[in-house]
Amino acid sequence: MSLIPKKGTVYVVDDDEAVRDSLQWLLEGKDYRVRCFDSAESFLARFDPREVACLIADIRMDGMSGLELQDKLLERKSPLPIVFITGHGDVPMAVNTMKKGAMDFIEKPFKEDALVALVERMLDQARAAFSQSQEAASREALLSRLTTREAQVLERIVAGRLNKQIADDLGISIKTVEAHRANVMEKLNANTVADLLKIALGANAPAATK
């Protein structure tokens, strides 16, 4: 049996050692990798934004609160999914965290099954965000291979301009447009205009129709 957890990483940020230990025991028993921190500050210093992971954080902590931690992550444009642990009196605050993008909050004492289900939902979201990020990076790498003129031609192809219109726009001959177009197709590994749209627009590309 593999000793490497298969399901992803769960960050736990709580200044209560007993809570950290209980969450670590529960989640490692479900085959998650768990990394615990006793403060938001120590978490931010060691957090790897490239990792497929999620975050369970207490709202009330010494030093930086869970709310302030969420704000810091938002400033960094981090897609890290978050669930907050709250006491009964913190529910209004927890609702506010959801307005800022937190997936949910759980009240103490929390139900183990409900927490594990939330963690799986968060990691599903994290995997999807990571996949989108990888696709975007791949598109950017391809597009960076184009010359300025080739990028101008691609922009007009995506806008639906015909070769003659592109030639008029750029003050070049149709043959030159055709040459640039062929270079664009080759550099982007595209066989059709639909392929070009997928690369240039990514998630905003129109769905293929039959």
Side-chain angles (χ1 to χ4, degrees):
M1 188 174 102
S2 172
L3 297 178
I4 301 173
K6 306 175 186 66
K7 293 184 176 179
T9 298
V10 183
Y11 293 112
V12 176
V13 181
D14 198 307
D15 57 4
D16 186 329
E17 184 177 5
V19 172
R20 294 197 305 273
D21 287 348
S22 66
L23 286 171
Q24 185 164 13
W25 177 85
L26 167 66
L27 294 170
E28 286 184 345
K30 300 292 184 181
D31 208 21
Y32 297 103
R33 178 176 182 237
V34 182
R35 297 182 63 191
C36 293
F37 299 88
D38 60 6
S39 70
E41 290 87 347
S42 61
F43 163 74
L44 286 172
R46 297 175 63 186
F47 165 54
D48 183 354
R50 298 166 298 179
E51 193 166 22
V52 176
C54 64
L55 170 64
I56 300 172
D58 196 4
I59 279 190
R60 294 185 185 274
M61 293 183 285
D62 291 337
M64 186 185 297
S65 70
L67 299 174
E68 292 168 329
L69 171 57
Q70 184 184 29
D71 287 340
K72 290 288 186 185
L73 290 170
L74 288 172
E75 287 173 11
R76 296 184 182 188
K77 294 181 169 52
S78 168
L80 186 70
I82 307 173
V83 159
F84 284 99
I85 300 172
T86 70
H88 178 69
D90 296 333
V91 170
M93 275 192 287
V95 171
N96 189 48
T97 68
M98 292 185 68
K99 292 177 181 176
K100 293 182 178 181
M103 282 195 68
D104 211 335
F105 60 89
I106 48 176
E107 286 190 78
K108 301 173 186 175
F110 46 82
K111 295 179 180 177
E112 292 184 358
D113 288 348
L115 176 62
V116 172
L118 270 176
V119 164
E120 195 53 45
R121 276 175 50 207
M122 287 196 292
L123 286 172
D124 282 345
Q125 179 176 305
R127 291 182 197 106
F130 181 78
S131 177
Q132 290 170 3
S133 174
Q134 292 292 94
E135 288 175 7
S138 178
R139 288 199 312 274
E140 288 299 320
L142 283 173
L143 292 169
S144 70
R145 298 165 66 183
L146 301 181
T147 65
T148 300
R149 182 63 89 191
E150 288 165 354
Q152 291 170 340
V153 170
L154 174 60
E155 180 183 356
R156 285 159 176 80
I157 294 171
V158 170
R161 305 286 282 170
L162 303 176
N163 284 358
K164 183 179 185 309
Q165 294 171 316
I166 296 172
D168 290 342
D169 289 345
L170 300 178
I172 56 181
S173 71
I174 294 178
K175 283 189 177 296
T176 302
V177 171
E178 290 171 348
H180 285 314
R181 188 172 187 135
N183 288 340
V184 169
M185 299 286 279
E186 182 179 352
K187 288 183 178 181
L188 300 187
N189 301 321
N191 296 314
T192 65
V193 172
D195 291 339
L196 286 181
L197 289 174
K198 287 177 185 176
I199 295 167
L201 300 176
N204 295 318
T209 55
K210 293 183 179 180

